């Protein structure tokens, strides 16, 4: 009797569940999209038999010039997909070079996420599907992928910030082998405006980049601390008591912060150096960030000239305002950081601010390294900058 | 000169970025959806001026009976939305009781995620938007929300499984205050078929439930370990070297596992008790799981009768096959677990298997507690079961 019941249960799990259980469990969609072909081209597919027009937009398509009230601007390219007899629309791209790419569909004008692709990233309030093209070991696609190597752990950690009068959430990467013992240097890695403590591990692929560089012996094993740079917030949207609100570029909360990122930053360092096995002293600390986070790295490093031996400004929003700015910068360079690294894309809207800042540094004889890449204010550049910066620190 | 540059940069960050930077950053969508109204009704909105028909489906709508080749089955309800003059479609629900709800739109027949709602959960290969209705302190909506209380940390941790011959990823919740010291009991919390180590913290709201119960003094501070129950996988899709594949219900990998979940389970306990500050012994260990994970909890607890004092089977897929099953169950009950807890919904497709198992336990005089709720094989029930089970253990 029991045996028969068992077989019934086993069969049930395999067969009947597809009919009875909650709808979300059983999507019948069995289209493959995107499909990275052997030659590096990518085929996209969407089942939309009733659609009149299906388009694809993605950052691998040539930029288009569009007129706006503020003049001509560049936007992501867009192409039309073709409908097959079965109502499935397809498009195959050119051969793409190794990279992590974004895309989404437009169905009769409405943005549409690819239901066949569970991989997507949120940038502020907008999701976009992602895929990776990789060709060979060590290329960018490989570097942003999860490979068969030891992996670090990624944790969402609540720390106390007495300066900001709140508990706050940050993301902490500990390298493979951290659990077995030892002490490690620390990289503080800061996000841009509109971002949060999730941004570098999602859009930025920080854990994959570090795993891959460390496994290849190209970067030292290090702890990477990714705090939340919005000092009026405790955490990423939905992860603190403000509720499931819609994030926006101009700030994640309506309240005013009681202190700035640079004023409150020592709370983070104190927590990390108390509760993690860290190597102490400026030679074992690095800080870098993108855009607003580059501005934070600029501000924090000059405010605490003995804290970091490695400073990276990625497409940084540099603010030279304030009475003591020049004096603080002079103090920072007097403390002789091992590396002061500036990187920006040649079409970045912050290019001129960075150019002026470099002129200032040159005029004072303050030593820095400079990298200029193609492109603008985009994650594709920031992933490259992290990859390069991570190999330059703690060596 | 510098001051002027600075102002330009500041203005740029605020104004120009909205035009120039990457498209994904600047979604102009400023609709609020969903909006939970003061009376508990919820308004949904979608900007779709070209759509002919926009519908809404969600688990708060009455179930519909649908004919299939296998007979009549129940499916999530669906309602039509109304178009306003501005092309914005709206629907306002009845007053909803406190709960976490799922929904999505259908635009001219195609499933469509709400672009105004950044909150969604993935169930195998399908995303659904979510929202929470809460009314008062301690209700289900409140229990699943992030409140202004101390929070535990959630980590993605790689452990070594010699039995499965791979490194594997699990989710570990450490309660608020863990960093400050002390030793803690451990709950092992297992997911169902098609799920992975992310399921309990996303669909299951495990971190919120534990945070809220612990802060209210209703559950003991505990470590919660959520491993991956697919023993042919290292990790959730996209987080191991198999690439960004599309998960499916019948298994996440094509290769065969070298051992089962119960055979390999001691590897997990060993890792946790080596690298976390745990209280040792069976009185400080609990195991529970849903569906396949309920089956795993059944199998693991009988295989290691001295490991757990608390066992929870949630809508469990119970497999009485195997020569020693009855003997193992007898050994387990001879070791006198403090709690053997069975819970299932009265329309769950595994109801009969559980009923037969309870008859077997009754026939042997083995003591267990039993809870029967309304509803079927759904996360809504499993969140309730976790909430109740967590309050019964380590007390």
């Amino acid at each position: 009797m029991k045996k028969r019941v068992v077989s019934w249960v086993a069969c049930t799990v395999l067969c009947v569940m597809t009919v009875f259980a909650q709808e979300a469990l059983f999507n019948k969609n069995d289209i493959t999209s995107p499909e990275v072909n052997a030659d590096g081209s990518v085929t996209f597919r969407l089942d939309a038999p009733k659609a009149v027009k299906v388009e694809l937009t993605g950052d691998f398509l040539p930029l288009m010039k569009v007129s706006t009230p503020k003049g001509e601007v560049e936007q992501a390219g867009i192409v039309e997909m073709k409908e097959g007899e079965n109502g499935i629309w397809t498009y195959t791209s050119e051969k793409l070079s190794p990279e992590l790419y974004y895309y989404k569909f437009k169905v009769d004008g409405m943005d549409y996420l690819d239901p066949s692709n569970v991989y997507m990233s949120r940038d502020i309030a907008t999701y976009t599907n992602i895929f990776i093209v990789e060709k060979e070991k060590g290329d960018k696609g490989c570097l942003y992928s999860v490979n068969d190597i030891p992996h670090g752990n990624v944790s969402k950690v609540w720390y106390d910030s007495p300066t900001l009068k709140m508990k706050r959430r940050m993301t902490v990467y500990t390298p493979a082998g951290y659990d077995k013992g030892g002490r490690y240097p620390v990289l503080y890695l800061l996000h841009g405006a509109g971002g949060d403590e999730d941004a570098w591990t999602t859009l930025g692929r920080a854990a994959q980049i570090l795993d891959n560089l460390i496994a290849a012996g190209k970067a030292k094993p290090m702890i990477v601390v990714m705090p939340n740079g919005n000092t009026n917030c405790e955490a990423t949207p939905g992860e603190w008591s403000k509720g499931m609100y819609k994030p926006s570029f101009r700030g994640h909360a309506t309240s005013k912060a009681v202190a700035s990122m640079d004023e409150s930053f020592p709370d983070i360092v104190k927590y990390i150096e108390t509760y993690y096995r860290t190597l102490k002293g400026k030679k074992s600390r690095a800080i870098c960030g993108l855009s607003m986070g580059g501005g934070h790295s600029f501000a924090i490093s000059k405010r605490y000239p003995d804290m970091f031996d490695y400073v990276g400004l990625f497409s940084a929003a540099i603010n030279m305002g304030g009475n003591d700015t020049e004096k603080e910068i002079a103090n920072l360079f007097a403390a002789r950081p091992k590396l002061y690294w500036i990187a920006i894309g040649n079409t970045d809207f912050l290019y001129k601010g960075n150019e002026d800042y470099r002129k200032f540094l040159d005029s004072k004889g303050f030593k820095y390294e400079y990298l200029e890449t193609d492109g603008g204010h985009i994650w594709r550049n920031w992933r490259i900058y992290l990859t390069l910066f991570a190999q330059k620190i703690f060596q």
Side-chain angles (χ1 to χ4, degrees), chain A:
Chain A
M1 163 67 191
K2 256 193 319 292
K3 282 281 165 63
R4 258 178 299 132
V5 169
V6 170
S7 328
W8 182 85
V9 169
C11 168
T12 300
V13 171
L14 290 174
C15 319
V16 182
M17 231 174 149
T18 54
V19 181
F20 254 133
Q22 66 186 123
E23 192 199 41
L25 270 172
F26 305 104
N27 188 311
K28 287 183 201 80
N29 171 359
D30 55 4
I31 290 172
T32 298
S33 177
E35 183 173 0
V36 180
N37 304 307
D39 66 355
S41 67
V42 179
T43 301
F44 303 85
R45 298 181 180 93
L46 181 68
D47 185 7
K50 288 186 185 169
V52 175
K53 186 177 181 181
V54 179
E55 296 159 296
L56 170 75
T57 176
D59 63 348
F60 48 89
L61 296 167
L63 291 172
M64 296 188 316
K65 291 203 189 297
V66 178
S67 290
T68 77
K70 290 179 181 173
E72 198 171 64
V73 297
E74 289 190 322
Q75 280 190 358
I78 188 161
V79 290
E80 288 197 26
M81 297 178 73
K82 272 205 183 129
E83 186 176 15
E85 285 172 21
N86 48 5
I88 293 173
W89 298 69
T90 61
Y91 174 81
T92 296
S93 75
E94 304 287 302
K95 293 177 200 175
L96 301 180
S97 54
E99 182 56 82
L100 182 153
Y101 295 99
Y102 303 114
Y103 75 101
K104 60 176 111 178
F105 298 126
K106 278 181 187 283
V107 176
D108 294 330
M110 286 178 73
D111 285 0
Y112 195 87
L113 288 164
D114 187 346
S116 299
N117 184 357
V118 301
Y119 304 98
M120 51 174 89
S121 288
R122 178 179 61 82
D123 199 351
I124 309 182
T126 306
Y127 283 94
T128 319
N129 285 114
I130 61 170
F131 66 94
I132 292 176
V133 174
E134 52 182 316
K135 236 178 189 162
E136 56 189 18
K137 212 177 160 179
D139 69 28
K140 277 194 284 175
C142 176
L143 205 56
Y144 307 155
S145 293
V146 179
N147 292 297
D148 190 12
I149 54 169
H151 304 297
N153 294 342
V154 175
S155 301
K156 303 296 173 181
V157 174
W158 288 87
Y159 72 100
D160 191 37
S161 178
T163 310
L164 295 172
K165 301 189 200 316
M166 50 169 91
K167 300 263 184 189
R168 306 188 77 236
R169 190 172 177 264
M170 58 185 166
T171 302
V172 179
Y173 167 90
T174 50
Y178 177 85
D179 49 3
K180 303 294 188 293
R183 292 191 169 271
Y184 296 83
V186 184
L187 167 62
Y188 295 86
L189 180 60
L190 311 183
H191 64 79
D196 54 54
E197 74 273 22
D198 288 349
W200 266 111
T201 50
T202 54
L203 297 152
R205 305 292 289 178
Q208 288 76 34
I209 291 170
L210 268 293
D211 276 359
N212 286 314
L213 291 177
I214 292 168
K218 291 181 176 171
K220 286 271 189 281
M222 65 183 85
I223 298 167
V224 183
V225 176
M226 292 157 272
N228 186 311
N230 311 299
T231 54
N232 58 353
C233 291
E234 292 178 16
T236 196
E239 294 289 347
W240 61 302
S241 59
K242 198 170 148 61
M244 292 163 74
Y245 64 93
K246 185 168 162 182
S248 76
F249 175 65
R250 298 206 182 156
H252 285 223
T254 46
S255 61
K256 232 185 138 205
V258 301
S260 68
M261 192 62 180
D262 48 304
E263 284 166 337
S264 60
F265 199 77
D267 294 344
I268 296 170
V269 177
K270 188 181 168 193
Y271 185 90
I272 292 294
E273 299 198 353
T274 302
Y275 295 110
Y276 287 80
R277 284 179 274 101
T278 59
L279 290 164
K280 304 288 194 300
K282 68 185 296 218
K283 72 174 190 303
S284 301
R285 292 190 207 104
I287 189 167
C288 65
L290 73 92
S291 195
M292 177 183 86
H296 288 155
S297 301
F298 163 82
I300 292 163
S301 60
K302 71 180 172 58
R303 189 177 183 121
Y304 311 104
D306 297 316
M307 200 176 268
F308 302 99
D309 245 348
Y310 307 92
V311 179
L313 312 185
F314 305 171
S315 313
I318 292 159
N319 182 354
M320 292 290 285
N323 290 332
D324 295 329
T325 298
E326 290 197 17
K327 205 174 111 193
E328 284 182 341
I329 294 172
N331 287 343
L332 169 60
F333 281 92
R336 298 184 163 275
K338 286 189 184 155
L339 177 67
Y340 196 87
W341 196 73
I342 298 173
I344 195 160
N346 53 20
T347 63
D348 194 306
F349 74 99
L350 294 176
Y351 187 89
K352 190 169 181 322
N354 276 257
E355 191 177 34
D356 288 329
Y357 182 51
R358 284 189 292 116
K359 281 181 190 159
F360 166 77
L361 293 176
D362 292 338
S363 75
K364 301 290 182 181
F366 297 149
K367 292 264 181 306
Y368 61 91
E369 288 185 25
Y370 178 61
L371 173 73
E372 191 168 307
T373 57
D374 282 340
H377 206 72
I378 54 176
W379 275 101
R380 193 186 290 197
N381 272 337
W382 302 326
R383 287 188 294 265
I384 293 172
Y385 303 162
L386 173 61
T387 301
L388 296 173
F389 188 71
Q391 298 178 66
K392 289 172 173 287
I393 60 181
F394 313 133
Q395 297 285 0

